[in-house]
Amino acid sequence: QVQLVESGGGLVQPGGSLRLSCAAAGSIFSIGPMGWYRQALGKQRELVALISSGGSTNYADSVKGRFTISRDNAKNTVSLQMNSLKPEDTAVYYCNSKIATIPSRYDDYWGQGTQVTVSS
């Protein structure tokens, strides 16, 4: 019954900014760590950013200083602010989260993916 719905992808010029958001909906008891992954054409999926339920963050070296992950626990959302975008950031971006629908039962959920294209 739980799903993650992403929004905010699109086309942007190099150096531009974009903000992705992901909302968890359904019968939710608790949400653990939330993160953003991306998969470029012909490449493996990689972790971009991770945020714990308490707000601690981790970033891939390639996006440090440019991307910021945040979450709103009251709204069950996670966002990714992307600044100074580069062509190599082009990929399909997926949000991910561990969500418990009942106490102690955490399952892994993925968003549907949203395309981010950085090009002139």
Side-chain angles (χ1 to χ4, degrees), residues 18-99:
L18 210 58
R19 185 177 180 87
L20 307 181
S21 63
C22 175
S27 182
I28 299 171
F29 179 81
S30 183
I31 301 178
M34 305 182 82
W36 287 94
Y37 293 74
R38 68 186 181 188
Q39 187 166 19
L41 187 63
K43 297 184 178 180
Q44 295 184 335
R45 185 181 302 179
E46 65 173 345
L47 176 66
V48 176
L50 191 68
I51 185 167
S52 72
S53 59
S56 297
T57 59
N58 286 289
Y59 298 91
D61 289 340
S62 60
V63 307
K64 286 182 179 177
R66 300 188 297 120
F67 291 10
T68 302
I69 187 171
S70 61
R71 65 189 289 166
D72 187 332
N73 291 332
K75 297 180 179 179
N76 293 333
T77 60
V78 60
S79 298
L80 185 68
Q81 178 65 47
M82 303 183 292
N83 299 325
S84 302
L85 283 161
K86 305 174 181 179
E88 50 263 46
D89 294 318
T90 296
V92 176
Y93 285 70
Y94 300 88
C95 66
N96 169 264
S97 182
K98 296 285 187 182
I99 299 175

Side-chain angles (χ1 to χ4, degrees), residues 1-4 95-101 107-111:
Q1 298 288 69
V2 175
Q3 62 178 17
L4 301 180
C95 66
N96 169 264
S97 182
K98 296 285 187 182
I99 299 175
T101 56
D107 293 314
D108 200 50
Y109 291 87
W110 290 90

